[in-house]
Amino acid sequence: MKDFKGPVLFLDRSDINTDEIIPAKYLTENEKEALKPHLLEDLILEGFDASKDITGNRVVVTRQNFGCGSSREHAPWAFEVNGYHVVIAEGFARIFRQNMYNCGMLAIDLAASDISRLFDEFAGSGAWIEVDVSAGAIEVYALGENRDRQGEVMASIPFEMSGFDRALIESGGWVEYADSHY
Amino acid sequence: MGQTIAEKIFSTHLVDEPFGDVSVLKLDRVFCHEITTPIAINDLQKRGKDRVFDPDKIKAVIDHVSPAKDSKTAVQGKILRDWARKHQIRDFFDIGANGVCHALFPEKGYVRPGFTVIMGDSHTCTHGAFGAFAAGVGTTDLEVGILKGVCTFKKPKTIRIELTGNLPDGVYAKDVILYVIGQISVNGATNMVMEFCGSCVDQMSMEERMTLCNMAVEAGATSGICYPDMTTVEYLWPFIRDDFQSKEAALESYSKYISDDDAEYEAVKTFDISNLEPLVTYGYKPDNVKTVTEMAGTSVDQVYIGSCTNGRIEDLRVAAKILEGHVISPTVRAIVSPATPKIFNQAMEEGLMKIFMDAGFCVTNPTCGACLGMSNGILAPGEVAATTTNRNFNGRMGKGGMVHLMSPATAAASAIQGVITNSPMFIG
Ligand code: SF4
C-alpha cells in the first residue's frame, strides 16, 4: 500500500479539469517522472501558484467534480510523481476516480458539509491529514513550522469505501487485482 | 421491473460482481490510439505480460499527432505500430489510412448495438450512438482490457434525455448537445449513462447521433447512448448483411437493446427543441453556453472545422454551403480537417474541398489536429478560436487561448465575418 498522509493543498474550486491538472502538450511523454514539473500548470484559481504551492504538500482537498474532462491517467500520475496519493473531494469525475484507485491511490468522496468544514477550519492555518484506510477515517492535525504533524488529532472524519475500491488499494492497483482474479 | 438499455448490455456481458458493488464486463471492443496506449504497452512488457486477449477485437489508430511532429510523438507511433504488428492486430490505421478514432471506427462498422467498448479516450462515449455501452477509460483500465478483455464499472444509473420537437432551420445536433449540457451542467450526468431519445433523436442521422453522444462526457456521463433503429441498421448494413437475412431481421434482433417502458431512471429530463437557437460556449467550461445572438460580434483569430464531434461529411457539407462564393475575413485564419480519409475523399468528389480552399481555408489531413493543442493549429496567448470541437478548457488549444465551441454552420459564418455570428441558415 502507498502512504496516505501529509500536508494539505487546498484547492477551493469545483470542476477542476484534467487539462488544468496536466495540459495535453505533455502527453507526448512516455515516462511518468517527466510530468513532475507540470502538475496543475494551467489551473485557474486565485492565489494559486503552481511553482510554489505544490512542493511540500501531499494531500489535496477540493470541491465538486474534480478531474472532469479527459481520460488521461497522466493526471493521477502527475500527482503520484509529486508525492500526492490522496485527493479528498465533494465528488469526482468517474474516469479520474477510477484511475486513482487503479493506480492504488485514494479518491475520497466526502459530504459537502465535511468539505466545507475542512476549508473553513483548516485552509487558513494549514493542516496535516492522515487517512486510516482500515478504519475508514480522515484524521486532521495541525501543521507544524517545519510542515510536519503537530499535536493531537483535531478532527476525525469518517468516509465510506466500497469493498472493491479497498481491494484495489490493498492489492496495489487494478492490474495486480485483475491478474490474480481473471 | 424493466431494464434500461445499459442494464441490458451489462447483464449480457457480466463476468463477475466482486463485492456486489461493481460489474466486471466482457469487452467486445478495445480501441487504442498512440497517446494513451504506449504506456500501457510498455507496462505490460515490463511485467512480462506482453499479450493481447483477442487481436480481432482490438483496433488501433495513430490519430492525435499525425504525421508525427517530433521525436517523442514518433516514438509513440512506433510503439503502437510495432505492437500492432507483433500481435497481428490487423485493424491498425497508420498515416494515409488513419483518421480521428471516433469517426474512423464507426465508419469501419466496428461498433454494433449491444456492444461493450472501451478506449483510453474520454470521447469514447461517441460510439453509444449505435446502441452500445462505450466508455472512456484510463491507461490502467485499457491495459487490463488489452490483456484480459474485461473492464469494471459501477452498476449503471441512467439519466434519460428526451428531446422532442423538430430542429429549426440552421440549428444542429451540436446546438442541441450544448443546450443539454448548459441545462444539466458539466456535473449533471456524472457516473450516469446519458440516454438520448425522443422524436428529435429518432429523426437524426447516425452522424448527428454521434455528435450528441460525443459530448455526453462533457456533462460527466460514462457513456452516451441512443436506441438502435432502422437508421442504425441502414448505416451498418454493408457490414452486417451476411449476418441477417434482411434489414427487418437485423432491426428485430437489435431491438432487444431498447430500454423497457418500466425501466428505472436516476432522472428524466424532457427538452422541447422546437425553438432552439444556435449556441456557443463563452468560458472555460462546456456548460457556459449562450446563444450566438448574445455572443455576436466577438472577434475571432482562428476558425477550426473538424474533430470527432463535427468533422464528418454532413458537417463539411453544411459549412461548405455557407462558404460557397465567399472568402474568409482577412483577420481570420481557418483550418478544416476532414475526420477520415473516406470523408476527405467524399468531400473532394462533392467539390467541398475546393469551396473550402477558394474561401481561404487551410486543409489538413485527417487528424485530431488543433482540437487538443498538442499537434498543429495552436493558438498564441490571447487568441480566440471559433471551433467545432468539444472542449473549451483553459489552455485546450494552446496556453492563454480562448475556445468557443459551436456548430460547423456557426463556425463557417464566423470565418466569413471574422466575428462570432449566426449562420444564414438560421432565420431567427
Ligand atoms: S478530435 Fe479532439 S476530442 Fe476527439 S479524439 Fe481527437 S483530441 Fe480527442
Side-chain angles (χ1 to χ4, degrees):
Chain A
M1 265 210 288
K2 294 190 158 60
D3 70 278
F4 303 118
K5 61 181 178 204
V8 180
L9 172 64
F10 288 93
L11 301 176
D12 194 2
R13 216 199 82 196
S14 287
D15 305 320
I16 292 175
N17 67 58
T18 45
D19 284 58
E20 293 176 283
I21 297 170
I22 186 82
K25 62 183 176 217
Y26 303 118
L27 305 188
T28 59
E29 300 294 349
N30 286 320
E31 294 299 331
K32 297 177 188 177
E33 203 58 34
L35 305 172
K36 194 169 176 181
H38 306 297
L39 176 64
L40 293 168
E41 191 174 285
D42 279 350
L43 178 66
I44 302 182
L45 180 63
E46 226 186 276
F48 176 77
D49 180 349
S51 66
K52 292 199 192 98
D53 298 341
I54 289 167
T55 319
N57 291 320
R58 289 281 180 271
V59 174
V60 171
V61 171
T62 184
R63 301 280 183 179
Q64 185 54 275
N65 199 27
F66 187 78
C68 57
S70 154
S71 64
R72 62 190 69 160
E73 205 161 303
H74 305 69
W77 296 335
F79 279 114
E80 187 180 10
V81 295
N82 278 285
Y84 288 75
H85 301 155
V86 192
V87 180
I88 300 167
E90 200 184 314
F92 294 90
R94 187 199 76 83
I95 308 175
F96 179 86
R97 184 180 192 286
Q98 191 63 46
N99 286 346
M100 287 289 282
Y101 283 96
N102 283 350
C103 293
M105 303 200 282
L106 291 170
I108 300 175
D109 297 82
L110 286 187
S113 55
D114 287 331
I115 291 290
S116 290
R117 181 180 168 203
L118 286 174
F119 274 101
D120 295 347
E121 291 181 24
F122 303 103
S125 54
W128 172 289
I129 279 183
E130 297 196 11
V131 182
D132 185 337
V133 173
S134 54
I138 290 163
E139 290 166 350
V140 192
Y141 295 85
L143 193 61
E145 267 176 34
N146 304 317
R147 305 193 67 72
D148 50 354
R149 196 182 99 176
Q150 194 81 38
E152 298 294 305
V153 181
M154 299 167 72
S156 180
I157 303 172
F159 66 93
E160 303 237 344
M161 198 171 175
S162 77
F164 184 65
D165 287 345
R166 189 177 296 277
L168 291 184
I169 290 295
E170 283 166 1
S171 48
W174 173 224
V175 180
E176 289 77 3
Y177 183 93
D179 213 39
S180 55
H181 287 78
Y182 304 107
Chain B
M1 196 189 58
Q3 287 184 306
T4 61
I5 171 170
E7 286 167 342
K8 291 181 184 192
I9 297 172
F10 269 51
S11 44
T12 53
H13 290 77
L14 195 64
V15 175
D16 189 14
E17 283 183 305
F19 308 95
D21 55 11
V22 289
S23 307
V24 180
L25 302 184
K26 184 166 70 74
L27 297 171
D28 296 306
R29 291 286 179 263
V30 177
F31 293 152
C32 301
H33 66 53
E34 89 282 15
I35 301 300
T36 51
T37 317
I39 294 190
I41 296 170
N42 284 347
D43 195 61
L44 286 170
Q45 290 173 345
K46 248 184 252 161
R47 291 171 189 268
K49 297 182 190 302
D50 185 13
R51 301 186 296 271
V52 303
F53 83 107
D54 183 343
D56 291 336
K57 290 183 177 159
I58 299 175
K59 318 286 176 186
V61 63
I62 295 177
D63 63 350
H64 276 56
V65 186
S66 170
K69 64 168 182 171
D70 56 14
S71 307
K72 282 180 179 168
T73 49
V75 168
Q76 288 182 310
K78 181 172 162 50
I79 293 171
L80 191 68
R81 185 181 300 119
D82 290 351
W83 171 79
R85 229 172 251 157
K86 176 175 173 190
H87 294 288
Q88 293 172 332
I89 294 163
R90 280 169 299 156
D91 297 317
F92 167 64
F93 301 91
D94 208 334
I95 184 167
N98 64 354
V100 178
C101 50
H102 310 307
L104 184 74
F105 293 146
E107 187 184 279
K108 299 283 179 191
Y110 295 155
V111 187
R112 311 283 165 78
F115 268 20
T116 50
V117 182
I118 65 162
M119 180 171 197
D121 192 284
S122 60
H123 294 104
T124 307
C125 50
T126 312
H127 306 277
F130 291 85
F133 174 79
V137 298
T139 292
T140 302
D141 273 341
L142 181 72
E143 184 173 336
V144 171
I146 287 168
L147 183 65
K148 304 275 179 181
V150 298
C151 194
T152 57
F153 293 95
K154 293 237 169 74
K155 301 225 169 67
K157 295 178 193 164
T158 299
I159 179 169
R160 181 179 160 106
I161 308 287
E162 274 184 29
L163 300 166
T164 61
N166 295 319
L167 274 177
D169 286 338
V171 180
Y172 303 90
K174 179 64 160 285
D175 301 303
V176 175
I177 190 61
L178 287 175
Y179 174 70
V180 171
I181 297 166
Q183 292 295 310
I184 70 171
S185 93
V186 291
N187 197 20
T190 302
N191 294 319
M192 290 184 238
V193 171
M194 216 167 159
E195 186 177 296
F196 297 101
C197 57
S199 55
C200 168
V201 184
D202 295 342
Q203 290 167 40
M204 282 185 173
S205 65
M206 288 313 298
E207 282 79 2
E208 291 173 289
R209 292 177 195 182
M210 283 190 256
T211 301
L212 271 191
C213 290
N214 176 270
M215 290 192 71
V217 70
E218 307 309 332
T222 305
S223 180
I225 208 159
C226 298
Y227 301 155
D229 61 5
M230 206 34 141
T231 307
T232 323
V233 171
E234 293 281 359
Y235 185 101
L236 289 174
W237 190 243
F239 311 102
I240 59 173
R241 60 192 325 153
D242 294 339
D243 304 340
F244 297 100
Q245 279 189 335
S246 65
K247 290 178 182 170
E248 288 67 30
L251 182 61
E252 201 191 312
S253 166
Y254 291 153
S255 296
K256 58 179 173 283
Y257 297 110
I258 291 179
S259 296
D260 296 325
D261 291 339
D262 56 346
E264 231 186 277
Y265 290 94
E266 190 69 13
V268 178
K269 305 265 177 192
T270 306
F271 301 111
D272 177 4
I273 47 86
S274 318
N275 295 312
L276 195 64
E277 284 194 36
L279 298 174
V280 54
T281 62
Y282 61 88
Y284 295 120
K285 297 197 305 169
D287 61 1
N288 293 159
V289 176
K290 284 186 182 172
T291 61
V292 173
T293 309
E294 285 172 289
M295 289 288 287
T298 307
S299 59
V300 165
D301 301 294
Q302 178 169 294
V303 171
Y304 184 61
I305 297 178
S307 87
C308 58
T309 322
N310 283 123
R312 298 186 179 82
I313 191 69
E314 290 183 356
D315 303 315
L316 303 190
R317 282 185 193 134
V318 169
K321 196 165 177 191
I322 291 162
L323 289 165
E324 192 164 20
H326 294 277
V327 290
I328 60 171
S329 159
T331 59
V332 161
R333 47 186 199 274
I335 303 169
V336 58
S337 183
T340 70
K342 184 181 169 195
I343 295 166
F344 202 143
N345 255 314
Q346 219 172 331
M348 283 201 293
E349 277 165 22
E350 294 178 18
L352 311 182
M353 295 330 281
K354 182 163 168 42
I355 296 173
F356 280 109
M357 293 184 79
D358 288 349
F361 269 68
C362 157
V363 180
T364 83
N365 61 303
T367 176
C368 293
C371 173
L372 85 167
M374 70 179 295
S375 174
N376 58 27
I378 292 169
L379 301 175
E383 285 193 323
V384 177
T387 161
T388 68
T389 54
N390 48 33
R391 258 184 202 147
N392 54 353
F393 295 164
N394 181 32
R396 176 71 178 182
M397 292 180 107
K399 204 175 180 77
M402 171 53 82
V403 174
H404 297 288
L405 309 176
M406 59 185 70
S407 75
T410 309
S414 303
I416 297 168
Q417 299 300 330
V419 295
I420 291 178
T421 187
N422 270 310
S423 87
M425 303 294 178
F426 174 66
I427 310 138

